[in-house]
Amino acid sequence: MKTDIILAGVGGQGILSIAATIGMSALSNNLHLKQAEVHGMSQRGGAVQSHFRLSSKPIASDLIPKGGCDIILSVEPMESLRYIDFLKKDGWIITNSTPFVNIPNYPDVDEVIAKIKERKNVIILDADKIAKEIGSPRSSNIVALGAATPFIDIPFESFEEAIKLIFKKKGDKIINANIEALRAGRAVADAR
């Protein structure tokens, strides 16, 4: 088993919580993992990305080569395009459709979405809307993660257990909201 994932978004969108959840899930399944993060002015809405590599065998490098990525998981559509050169031809893009407009010349969102749809395997979901509908607007990152779980060779229950551990200090209300968000994202992927 080997899955290379690029997590992409901007500061404050919860990329690191996604990475922690995948990492905890991987460890509970005795998988090897390597992660490299880049935080570009993240407190001002700058780009945040993480190379996340999972494998049943030891991993030599923490960076994913261009053309070698299995999944781009983005919580903002333009950020998914930023790393598209890393994606395998049959790789998956899972992205939130809600833009984070932090620059005056942000491209037309419809054009960004159209460009993403040029790829073979794409799930575009309005994770912000789904998170609001379940009463947890800050969990849109976990909704997006839920939509990516079918493509990560880890049992879904492991992601739920990871959320319980990661959000333990925040209490049951936050844990349950994030598990509901994870399930809602998974339902979108399962319905495709």
Side-chain angles (χ1 to χ4, degrees):
M1 175 275 177
K2 181 177 87 58
T3 306
D4 289 337
I5 307 167
I6 289 182
L7 307 174
V10 300
Q13 288 194 299
I15 291 295
L16 301 183
S17 292
I18 293 174
T21 304
I22 297 172
M24 193 76 74
S25 304
L27 291 175
S28 69
N29 285 276
N30 298 316
L31 295 174
H32 297 270
L33 66 93
K34 288 212 182 249
Q35 180 188 7
E37 299 170 356
V38 174
H39 309 248
M41 301 289 283
S42 58
Q43 291 183 349
R44 296 183 184 176
V48 176
Q49 59 96 353
S50 175
H51 285 219
F52 205 104
R53 310 188 81 183
L54 305 170
S55 178
S56 53
K57 298 177 181 175
I59 303 164
S61 171
D62 53 359
L63 295 178
I64 300 167
K66 284 190 176 179
C69 179
D70 298 291
I71 302 168
I72 294 176
L73 172 53
S74 176
V75 291
E76 197 283 330
M78 190 172 74
E79 291 300 321
S80 64
L81 288 180
R82 187 186 304 269
Y83 304 102
I84 204 158
D85 289 345
F86 285 88
L87 192 65
K88 290 179 175 175
K89 285 186 178 179
D90 60 346
W92 280 89
I93 297 175
I94 292 90
T95 186
N96 185 6
S97 62
T98 305
F100 187 94
V101 181
N102 56 352
I103 53 175
N105 59 344
Y106 191 99
D108 181 83
V109 176
D110 291 336
E111 290 179 16
V112 171
I113 297 294
K115 188 73 178 169
I116 293 168
K117 287 182 175 178
E118 289 177 3
R119 297 304 293 238
K120 179 180 174 187
N121 300 315
V122 174
I123 294 177
I124 300 171
L125 70 163
D126 190 339
D128 285 31
K129 180 181 175 187
I130 293 168
K132 286 177 188 168
E133 286 173 354
I134 63 172
S136 183
R138 296 185 64 177
S139 299
S140 62
N141 60 331
I142 301 299
V143 173
L145 171 60
T149 56
F151 315 106
I152 304 172
D153 194 13
I154 293 176
F156 185 75
E157 297 75 24
S158 296
F159 292 101
E160 293 183 336
E161 292 303 314
I163 284 172
K164 290 176 185 175
L165 292 171
I166 291 166
F167 294 105
K168 184 177 180 180
K169 289 183 179 177
K170 295 188 176 187
D172 288 344
K173 184 177 176 182
I174 300 297
I175 290 171
N176 293 335
N178 279 286
I179 288 176
E180 189 174 359
L182 185 78
R183 291 176 180 171
R186 177 64 181 245
V188 170
D190 287 346
R192 71 183 152 76

